[in-house]
Amino acid sequence: MRKLLLLLALCVAGAASLAAVPARAEPRYTVVKIDLRKDRLALFLRDDAGVEFRRFDRLEAWLAAHNRQLLFAVNAGMYHADFSPVGLLVQEGREVSPLNLSAGTGNFFLKPNGVFLVSGNQPRVVESSEYPALSRGVRLATQSGPLLLRRGVVHPAFIPDSDSRKIRNGVGVSGHTAVFVISEDPVNFYEFALYFRDVLHCRDALYLDGTVSALHSLALRRSDFVRDLGPILGVAVP
């Protein structure tokens, strides 16, 4: 069985607090790094009957029936009430849902938003409008928003001292490695983006979701259930 590189990490303290004010504990994060030269990421949405998986345990059972084991999985982006993707979804080179460049409200439409894609064994995070020029040969892609980082720059709409704090998850890239992160404590967008940039040294990173953030890891003996999910990114092996 291939081993995924797992890293449990603490966010580095950024500034000293006043002695008279209780210090807020730095947020904790769980980080899973997947080297795509060794492990194959896949996108899962529906089973053979066209029914959405919605939960890790259902995906796990379906894979087991096909003699495969789910090593790792996360929610893979935002979805409608019927669990269909809000934006682009490409599975094994087939476009299941088209790119969504329309305007709207909510995190998905906080421009610039972005696409996480895999071509061969190369992961990338790009701004959504850049995707059409890169789409040839893409094996896997999921669209979400907002972008956390673009070429090392934090999304301009993020507020450093925002009190909008949630459990959040996202994906960054470093060479041939996809870097998945879920916060174990509520964080705001700015803090989350800085963790990718300053601690994990990613130049490009994409927000996947907040309230529904969930992680499955066989190595960590963890399989979250918060609520039913739409698309799921995962690694499964024979």
Side-chain angles (χ1 to χ4, degrees), residues 118-237:
V118 176
S119 295
N121 59 12
Q122 182 64 58
R124 294 186 66 179
V125 169
V126 300
E127 196 271 325
S128 292
S129 65
E130 298 173 334
Y131 176 77
L134 304 169
S135 61
R136 184 168 181 165
V138 166
R139 179 178 64 80
L140 170 159
T142 182
Q143 184 182 8
S144 192
L147 277 175
L148 297 169
L149 296 171
R150 186 183 186 196
R151 298 171 186 151
V153 178
V154 175
H155 195 293
F158 294 173
I159 302 169
D161 59 353
S162 171
D163 61 2
S164 176
R165 297 181 177 278
K166 298 180 182 293
I167 300 297
R168 304 183 188 274
N169 77 308
V171 59
V173 294
S174 178
H176 288 89
T177 299
V179 183
F180 292 92
V181 180
I182 185 168
S183 69
E184 301 301 334
D185 302 299
V187 294
N188 64 32
F189 275 128
Y190 189 80
E191 292 167 337
F192 199 41
L194 287 191
Y195 187 76
F196 273 100
R197 189 189 71 182
D198 298 345
V199 178
L200 299 175
H201 307 297
C202 295
R203 287 181 51 80
D204 299 290
L206 178 65
Y207 181 62
L208 291 175
D209 217 325
T211 305
V212 305
S213 296
L215 169 68
H216 172 94
S217 170
L218 185 66
L220 294 176
R221 298 182 181 180
R222 170 176 175 172
S223 193
D224 302 336
F225 176 70
V226 179
R227 62 180 65 184
D228 287 345
L229 304 172
I232 296 170
L233 273 162
V235 174
V237 296

Side-chain angles (χ1 to χ4, degrees), residues 4 17 36 61 113 118 132 137 167:
L4 302 181
S17 59
L36 296 185
N113 57 13
V118 176
I167 300 297

Side-chain angles (χ1 to χ4, degrees), residues 3-67:
K3 293 184 179 179
L4 302 181
L5 176 59
L6 301 171
L7 171 64
L8 299 177
L10 295 177
C11 183
V12 177
S17 59
L18 296 176
V21 180
R24 182 175 63 83
E26 291 297 327
R28 298 170 300 131
Y29 299 91
T30 297
V31 178
V32 179
K33 296 183 177 182
I34 300 178
D35 186 336
L36 296 185
R37 294 169 298 185
K38 301 176 182 178
D39 293 290
R40 184 178 178 86
L41 269 174
L43 269 166
F44 302 97
L45 180 61
R46 300 182 181 96
D47 64 17
D48 300 326
V51 178
E52 291 81 8
F53 291 111
R54 303 189 188 185
R55 295 169 52 158
F56 295 145
D57 59 347
R58 293 172 184 166
L59 173 58
E60 195 173 24
W62 180 80
L63 286 167
H66 290 75
N67 299 312

